Amino acid sequence: MFEAVEELIGEHADLEKQLADPAVHTDQANARRLNKRYAELTPIIAAYRSWRQTGEDAETARELALDDPEFAAEVKELDKQREELTDRLRLLLVPRDPSDDKDVILEVKAGEGGEESALFAGDLLRMYLRYAERVGWKTEILDANASDLGGYKDVQVVVKAKASHEPGQGVWARLKYEGGVHRVQRVPATESQGRIHTSAAGVLVTPEAEEVEVEIGPNDLRIDVYRSSGPGGQSVNTTDSAVRITHLPSGLVVSCQNEKSQLQNKESAMRILRSRLLAAAQEEAEREASDARRSQVRTVDRSERIRTYNFPENRISDHRVGFKAYNLDQVLDGDLDAMIQACVDADSAAKLAAAGDGA
């Protein structure tokens, strides 16, 4: 399994040499690419060297134990460390999602449940904004369609990571598991009889695309402008500032009306469109590669939920991985790490099992 690491050691050393050359940094795009690959390989090389060193130390301790039984306990401890390092190295060698380091566009959309669903969509938005704040990510709301009681019919937000982060800790690497239908069970603010209702909101997460990643021809778009609707200040509802962009080849339609400026709304709509086109292209590639791929739920149907938020029991349940906790209040305040990690661990286990089957 670890034979390939020797090749990676050579690649790592070559990258280190290239990055030490000042001339390489005159091309910022190339320098970023090299730095990214170097950062990906560094933990693999470190774990492999620790694995080899621990194996050598265990052999030495095993020889010494023949003459001095006190070394037997050290042999046991070193064998345990090597087993842990073996598992870590196996995990590090599983091919990573190439989009893991990307920023994302996260969309929350109210579904069945009327105004209560819109209020829940607002709760989900706040949960993600608080989580981003906890981990030091930046957020920017691209477009929002508010409901009458302060919730959201739909809202799109960009989530951006810090300038540098550890591999596997990028925004897409953590938030890609949030896509799907989220179901809520609680007494709505609009309920006068105190009865528990069930409603749902949909979450769609796509990696944000760079302009160079998605080719959009000049004749591929139809751009319409119209007057914004809904709550707004002076000039928001009195000028044709809202923008609707239709991507003719795919039929995708994106609308933005959050900004007063038509140009700003157009830029926001293009960012959303590029991310959706990139996601569609990636899904098509995955579909061709594997029929067993997992996909996000696109319809806001309560029967196809990935997660349930039960307010009376203060319980949060992820139905994909069997995760359950009774700290819903903390989760809604942005404490998502345990739940996301459960999804990451399950995904990693599945990839390890698939790698084992293919070996």
Side-chain angles (χ1 to χ4, degrees):
M1 179 187 63
F2 301 146
E3 293 175 359
V5 180
E6 295 294 341
E7 294 182 13
L8 296 181
I9 290 173
E11 183 184 354
H12 187 261
D14 183 58
L15 287 168
E16 195 168 41
K17 185 184 298 183
Q18 291 185 63
L19 290 169
D21 183 358
V24 167
H25 297 274
T26 58
D27 183 344
Q28 288 298 311
N30 184 48
R32 282 195 298 270
R33 182 182 62 79
L34 295 177
N35 267 308
K36 178 182 176 182
R37 181 59 176 164
Y38 184 79
E40 289 173 355
L41 293 181
T42 296
I44 298 174
I45 305 307
Y48 180 67
R49 287 170 176 163
S50 295
W51 177 79
R52 287 192 61 177
Q53 186 62 53
T54 303
E56 292 171 5
D57 292 345
E59 286 302 315
T60 300
R62 199 168 278 111
E63 291 176 7
L64 293 173
L66 296 174
D67 299 321
D68 187 348
E70 291 186 6
F71 281 98
E74 186 174 346
V75 171
K76 188 175 180 180
E77 179 60 30
L78 287 168
D79 283 343
K80 180 182 177 183
Q81 289 180 22
R82 195 163 201 251
E83 187 175 335
E84 292 172 352
L85 285 166
T86 299
D87 291 339
R88 171 169 168 73
L89 198 47
R90 280 200 182 99
L91 192 57
L92 287 170
L93 287 171
V94 171
R96 293 179 60 233
D97 184 334
S99 295
D100 272 354
D101 293 321
K102 290 184 180 293
D103 299 324
V104 309
I105 293 180
L106 184 146
E107 304 179 52
V108 185
K109 184 178 179 65
E112 296 181 6
E115 192 64 48
E116 162 61 8
S117 178
L119 289 170
F120 179 51
D123 292 337
L124 290 177
L125 173 65
R126 179 181 179 276
M127 177 181 75
Y128 293 125
L129 294 179
R130 290 287 291 118
Y131 177 66
E133 183 181 338
R134 281 172 179 253
V135 298
W137 294 340
K138 295 179 181 179
T139 57
E140 174 194 352
I141 292 180
L142 289 178
D143 196 54
N145 185 6
S147 69
D148 294 336
L149 295 183
Y152 287 97
K153 297 176 183 177
D154 56 78
V155 57
Q156 294 89 31
V157 56
V158 175
V159 187
K160 291 183 171 292
K162 293 176 285 190
S164 60
H165 52 79
E166 294 182 11
Q169 296 299 312
V171 183
W172 173 254
R174 306 294 289 178
L175 290 186
K176 61 185 174 183
Y177 304 101
E178 294 303 301
V181 172
H182 297 240
R183 183 178 69 169
V184 61
Q185 296 172 326
R186 66 181 176 187
V187 178
T190 55
E191 169 60 55
S192 59
Q193 302 296 322
R195 293 172 298 185
I196 295 174
H197 286 225
T198 297
S199 61
V203 175
L204 175 64
V205 188
T206 52
E208 185 171 16
E210 300 290 339
E211 289 190 39
V212 295
E213 291 180 294
V214 178
E215 184 177 343
I216 301 176
N219 298 320
D220 290 345
L221 303 178
R222 185 178 72 236
I223 301 176
D224 301 307
V225 296
Y226 57 98
R227 192 158 296 179
S228 300
S229 60
Q234 184 178 4
S235 83
V236 172
N237 302 321
T238 59
T239 62
D240 291 335
S241 59
V243 174
R244 180 188 300 110
I245 299 179
T246 303
H247 184 249
L248 300 175
S250 66
L252 282 173
V253 179
V254 177
S255 301
C256 279
Q257 61 175 20
N258 209 47
E259 304 294 338
K260 294 180 181 180
S261 162
Q262 185 183 116
L263 179 60
Q264 288 176 308
N265 282 324
K266 180 181 176 183
E267 289 175 350
S268 294
M270 285 300 297
R271 290 174 74 176
I272 296 170
L273 177 62
R274 278 195 295 268
S275 71
R276 289 184 181 177
L277 288 173
L278 177 63
Q282 290 173 335
E283 286 180 4
E284 181 61 30
E286 290 171 8
R287 215 170 5 246
E288 292 175 358
S290 171
D291 293 332
R293 71 174 184 88
R294 280 192 305 230
S295 63
Q296 297 177 27
V297 178
R298 303 305 170 132
T299 57
V300 187
D301 180 345
R302 286 176 300 196
S303 66
E304 296 185 3
R305 82 278 186 196
I306 63 164
R307 195 174 292 158
T308 295
Y309 302 69
N310 186 298
F311 276 71
E313 298 179 13
N314 198 36
R315 170 172 52 83
I316 180 88
S317 305
D318 193 293
H319 307 293
R320 298 163 298 179
V321 297
F323 178 89
K324 185 182 295 184
Y326 292 86
N327 64 336
L328 176 58
D329 53 339
Q330 297 174 36
V331 170
L332 288 173
D333 196 40
D335 188 5
L336 284 169
D337 276 326
M339 188 160 51
I340 289 176
Q341 192 58 49
C343 294
V344 171
D345 292 343
D347 193 21
S348 298
K351 288 179 179 176
L352 278 173
D357 291 341

